[in-house]
């Protein structure tokens, strides 16, 4: 149905969005009907979602859903594009309509940085989220988790063994 609709109106963002969401939410049936692998299905869904956002970049819901869908890659046996996810959440934040939406965009951008294993950048995002919602337990918890990861992943300098100088081992 959506395929036919897109043939008639190839730049209709609502059709693109709905078909993309249909692929992602009904993937077992779509895989069977289209004879697609999970990675192929995800790629096709993301092409539609991306095109919809490019055609209507000021639409918060489209942009938000596109950014959210980037987190689904691994569920579809596809490689997560954390760089694209970070960029998408920055776009979401630019068009957010209120502090709650901006705070959530900071949180999700931080999670994308975690996916990239860039803990310092993630920490910065969670701190920005906390500025917008100081009572956010989620932001506080992610800040603490990120601090632990930063400590665990910090390069360790080898310990020098100390030589005991002047010790003969006998009576002095």
């Amino acid at each position: 149905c959506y395929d036919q609709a897109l043939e008639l109106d190839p730049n209709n963002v609502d059709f693109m969005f709905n078909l993309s969401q249909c692929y992602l939410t009904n993937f077992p049936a779509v895989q069977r009907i289209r004879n697609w692998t999970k990675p192929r299905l995800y790629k096709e869904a993301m092409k539609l979602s991306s095109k919809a956002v490019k055609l209507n970049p000021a639409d918060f819901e489209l942009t938000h859903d596109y950014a959210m869908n980037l987190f689904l890659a691994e569920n579809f046996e596809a490689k997560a594009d954390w760089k694209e996810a970070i960029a998408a959440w920055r776009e979401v934040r630019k068009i957010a309509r209120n502090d709650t939406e901006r705070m959530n965009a900071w949180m999700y951008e931080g999670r994308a940085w975690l996916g990239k294993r860039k803990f310092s950048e993630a920490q910065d995002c969670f701190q920005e989220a906390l500025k917008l919602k100081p009572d956010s337990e989620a932001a506080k918890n992610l800040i603490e988790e990120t601090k632990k990861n930063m400590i665990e992943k910090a390069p360790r300098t080898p310990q020098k063994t100390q030589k005991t100088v002047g010790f003969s081992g006998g009576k002095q």
Side-chain angles (χ1 to χ4, degrees):
C1 173
Y2 284 117
D3 289 328
Q4 292 170 340
L6 279 171
E7 283 178 24
L8 296 172
D9 190 357
N11 290 324
N12 187 308
V13 294
D14 292 327
F15 297 164
M16 287 177 217
F17 169 80
N18 289 332
L19 185 55
S20 172
Q21 295 307 95
C22 184
Y23 285 175
L24 296 173
T25 58
N26 299 298
F27 66 90
V30 174
Q31 279 185 273
R32 190 176 56 254
I33 293 165
R34 304 244 186 210
N35 197 28
W36 286 349
T37 62
K38 276 185 168 182
R40 166 92 188 271
L41 183 145
Y42 179 74
K43 181 180 174 185
E44 296 298 327
M46 293 308 294
K47 271 199 264 182
L48 289 166
S49 189
S50 176
K51 185 175 179 185
V53 169
K54 286 177 182 155
L55 289 170
N56 196 357
D59 186 308
F60 178 82
E61 279 78 20
L62 284 177
T63 307
H64 181 272
D65 285 338
Y66 171 71
M68 287 297 287
N69 291 342
L70 288 162
F71 284 113
L72 298 175
E74 292 169 350
N75 295 349
F76 288 90
E77 301 164 8
K79 188 176 188 290
D81 186 346
W82 298 119
K83 183 178 176 183
E84 178 64 18
I86 290 161
W89 284 109
R90 288 178 175 169
E91 290 305 311
V92 170
R93 194 170 53 250
K94 286 180 191 174
I95 60 174
R97 300 164 292 200
N98 56 53
D99 281 349
T100 300
E101 291 174 353
R102 273 183 284 287
M103 183 268 194
N104 286 324
W106 278 115
M107 294 288 286
Y108 282 115
E109 181 185 337
R111 288 182 173 117
W113 281 111
L114 288 177
K116 245 178 118 61
R117 315 269 315 144
K118 299 287 188 173
F119 301 113
S120 179
E121 290 85 346
Q123 181 87 349
D124 292 344
C125 291
F126 300 139
Q127 291 288 354
E128 290 298 323
L130 201 55
K131 287 178 187 175
L132 292 169
K133 190 173 180 194
D135 61 337
S136 171
E137 288 302 315
K140 290 175 187 176
N141 290 337
L142 284 167
I143 287 167
E144 286 308 309
E145 274 184 51
T146 304
K147 280 182 187 175
K148 288 177 191 172
N149 281 318
M150 289 169 73
I151 291 168
E152 290 172 9
K153 303 297 179 200
R156 301 185 193 279
T157 54
Q159 296 289 323
K160 293 182 182 177
T161 54
Q162 292 183 335
K163 294 183 182 178
T164 308
V165 180
F167 181 74
S168 67
K171 291 183 183 179
Q172 289 192 4

